[in-house]
Amino acid sequence: MDQHGRKVHHPPSSYQNHKRNKDHESVSVNPEHKRVRQSHPPHHGGSPPVSSSASPCRALSTRRQLYEKDFPVYKQPVEVGSFSLDGERRFFNDARQMRYFVKPHPRPNFDLRDGYKDRFVKRDDGVKEKLDHILRWILANRSKLQSSVSAASSSQALGVDIVTWRGHLTKLLTTPYETREGWLLAATLFRGTLYISEVETEASRRDRDNRTERHEEMMYWGYKFEQYLCADDIKGSPNPVGVVNTNEAFCTVVQTKLADHKLLFSGEVDCRDGEPEAPAAPACYIELKTSAEICTPKQRSNFHRFKLLKWWAQSFLPGVPRIVAGFRDPDGLVVGTETIQISKISHLIKNEYNCWKPTVCMNFCCEFLSFVRTVVREDNPRVVHLFSWDPHQDVTYSVHRDTTYCFLPPWYVEGMASSSNPPH
Ligand code: A3P
Ligand code: MG
């Protein structure tokens, strides 16, 4: 796909000509449990984003200028399955939580505060599920993945290079433009596939513990908006007097390729177009979003520069083609809605000075994945490489063996090894 989400055939991009630095294989890079520090001078425009070929890859620059090159090849994402999480966060290998979009009135007057106090079941965000739901889906659908031609001819158990959540990839896409929040991503190589799972940062934990009541309520507003626009059945209507339970989720699992990285990831989908003429998934999916009403040119500019970056990244990755946005006043009343085509976002932002660029986002993500695959060589579910990034810094990493950072659960490791399902 190109940055607009159209199917295109790409000429070889500069990425494809960029050879990975393999020198690290003969060098001892990182003592166990020690943070690997940046050991090279700051990058200047035009230099490779990782350390020079004379030294091992220890850090990755996030400077935007380094990633302003041709848009990398991004294959049209293909849905390979889906799963559901119920009101108690139980996994089901089916689409029971799928919801159907119901077009709103142009001036709807939805009250997003309604039900916050008395009809809201909030997911416990202190419970870290890591990749568990995706791993459950993989074990239940292993034969589907393995039956693909690539799996049969590869040394990988699954025939993919990377397994992760879409949300983790969204964070990577927006990293070159992020100035506030850093991240920690844990990576483990197991049977030839790299699993990437987020670890909560201290700062994020602090923010979570210190949210104001207003912030807590505003987090509810997005889910309430979904309730106003979604029906549980294809011919049904939304039920605004029902309970909002944020444990419930419908997740798509897609497969795609970013340059030479074969990706398998999952992401929550808000709803689908239920019309008979709607295209197949993921093109029938619709992302729902809320945002503050735009009243001034400054607000419009901020919306383009900050919000549309996150919205674009989240939906572009799984090939969700459109967003229905609700614009709300400070009291949580939705005063208007708008449909935004993902393919039109780069056009919408083109008059903003010094704005974000889709190609920078995709090239950075691609280089990060190359960096991780270069660094993580030991195929062992008990080894975690922890990649760490703070705004205005390079990405660095540390290595952890048999620690609480391990995130591939025994049931998954054993399930993958079971003789009833040989890896190849
Ligand atoms: P909005 O997107 O309308 O703000 P998603 O849009 O990704 O499906 O998420 C649904 C809603 O979850 C969001 O609606 C918002 O209310 C809440 N939410 C998701 N991520 C959040 C975050 N990082 N901080 C606060 N609220 C969040
Ligand atoms: Mg949404």
Side-chain angles (χ1 to χ4, degrees):
M1 293 202 302
D2 67 2
Q3 60 186 294
H4 313 295
R6 292 180 303 227
K7 269 188 204 173
V8 287
H9 295 287
H10 287 268
S13 70
S14 59
Y15 174 82
Q16 289 165 308
N17 299 327
H18 175 81
K19 292 267 185 300
R20 246 189 258 143
N21 171 15
K22 296 202 164 144
D23 294 356
H24 72 284
E25 281 163 358
S26 57
V27 184
S28 167
V29 181
N30 42 340
E32 297 283 321
H33 302 280
K34 292 245 169 67
R35 182 67 169 269
V36 180
R37 301 241 170 247
Q38 181 183 348
S39 62
H40 58 91
H43 296 297
H44 298 287
S47 59
V50 290
S51 314
S52 76
S53 57
S55 60
C57 303
R58 295 180 177 188
L60 178 72
S61 172
T62 62
R63 284 191 56 217
R64 297 165 200 173
Q65 295 88 326
L66 297 169
Y67 303 99
E68 288 200 16
K69 40 194 187 177
D70 289 348
F71 200 80
V73 173
Y74 190 60
K75 253 188 73 200
Q76 186 80 34
V78 172
E79 182 175 78
V80 291
S82 59
F83 59 86
S84 295
L85 304 174
D86 74 0
E88 291 166 51
R89 212 66 188 160
R90 286 177 304 209
F91 173 93
F92 293 89
N93 185 29
D94 58 39
R96 68 182 65 191
Q97 294 289 350
M98 166 91 82
R99 292 181 299 177
Y100 298 85
F101 177 71
V102 178
K103 199 170 159 37
H105 188 275
R107 294 193 62 83
N109 248 340
F110 297 144
D111 179 2
L112 301 181
R113 294 171 310 182
D114 179 49
Y116 175 64
K117 290 275 184 232
D118 57 328
R119 301 193 318 281
F120 179 28
V121 178
K122 186 177 177 288
R123 178 164 81 91
D124 181 353
D125 49 15
V127 176
K128 300 302 170 197
E129 299 170 328
K130 299 176 256 194
L131 298 185
D132 289 5
H133 298 306
I134 303 179
L135 303 181
R136 255 178 221 115
W137 181 88
I138 291 174
L139 279 189
N141 296 275
R142 220 179 137 188
S143 53
K144 261 197 223 173
L145 289 171
Q146 286 174 329
S147 64
S148 70
V149 179
S150 56
S153 61
S154 112
S155 59
Q156 292 166 328
L158 298 176
V160 297
D161 300 312
I162 315 270
V163 168
T164 192
W165 280 108
R166 176 269 309 273
H168 303 353
L169 295 173
T170 305
K171 281 203 176 171
L172 289 170
L173 260 63
T174 58
T175 294
Y177 299 103
E178 179 62 51
T179 56
R180 291 189 202 166
E181 289 172 15
W183 46 250
L184 287 170
L185 289 170
T188 289
L189 185 62
F190 175 54
R191 295 190 158 220
T193 296
L194 198 61
Y195 295 80
I196 300 179
S197 177
E198 188 171 29
V199 173
E200 188 172 43
T201 63
E202 284 293 328
S204 158
R205 168 76 201 248
R206 266 198 311 275
D207 289 351
R208 191 161 59 80
D209 288 343
N210 297 311
R211 281 182 200 134
T212 61
E213 182 54 28
R214 167 88 178 164
H215 188 188
E216 285 284 348
E217 182 174 344
M218 286 181 74
M219 286 176 63
Y220 166 79
W221 291 1
Y223 298 108
K224 183 67 189 174
F225 181 62
E226 294 173 8
Q227 191 193 53
Y228 278 116
L229 296 187
C230 296
D232 289 342
D233 305 296
I234 192 155
K235 291 200 161 62
S237 306
N239 175 21
V241 297
V243 170
V244 170
N245 183 338
T246 58
N247 287 298
E248 295 174 5
F250 166 75
C251 295
T252 179
V253 183
V254 302
Q255 220 173 313
T256 183
K257 208 172 164 201
L258 171 58
D260 62 350
H261 309 297
K262 278 186 243 159
L263 313 178
L264 177 81
F265 60 85
S266 175
E268 187 175 350
V269 167
D270 291 333
C271 58
R272 63 163 290 156
D273 181 344
E275 297 298 322
E277 63 273 22
C284 61
Y285 293 145
I286 302 171
E287 173 60 41
L288 305 177
K289 289 287 183 199
T290 60
S291 198
E293 189 183 3
I294 296 168
C295 304
T296 68
K298 181 74 188 161
Q299 287 169 344
R300 176 160 305 276
S301 175
N302 283 340
F303 175 75
H304 287 162
R305 298 169 66 83
F306 305 111
K307 204 139 249 192
L308 280 187
L309 164 60
K310 303 233 160 133
W311 290 8
W312 172 82
Q314 183 189 30
S315 289
F316 179 75
L317 279 164
V320 172
R322 61 188 158 133
I323 294 172
V324 172
F327 293 92
R328 49 166 165 75
D329 71 11
D331 296 327
L333 291 180
V334 174
V335 292
T337 61
E338 213 177 292
T339 299
I340 301 172
Q341 303 291 338
I342 299 304
S343 60
K344 304 252 171 76
I345 289 181
S346 60
H347 191 74
L348 280 177
I349 63 168
K350 78 175 190 312
N351 290 328
E352 297 293 342
Y353 174 71
N354 202 14
C355 201
W356 60 275
K357 295 188 174 89
T359 195
V360 169
C361 301
M362 295 303 280
N363 279 313
F364 172 72
C365 181
C366 190
E367 295 287 359
F368 174 78
L369 298 178
S370 299
F371 178 58
V372 176
R373 290 176 70 191
T374 304
V375 165
V376 183
R377 291 293 173 160
E378 185 177 343
D379 198 304
N380 183 341
R382 303 197 323 267
V383 173
V384 167
H385 284 70
L386 189 62
F387 290 82
S388 166
W389 178 73
D390 283 308
H392 315 295
Q393 308 288 319
D394 286 353
V395 179
T396 57
Y397 64 91
S398 51
V399 192
H400 306 265
R401 195 178 292 270
D402 286 320
T403 68
T404 52
Y405 287 123
C406 289
F407 61 87
L408 289 182
W411 54 260
Y412 182 72
V413 173
E414 285 153 22
M416 287 292 284
S418 74
S419 55
S420 56
N421 268 324
H424 33 251

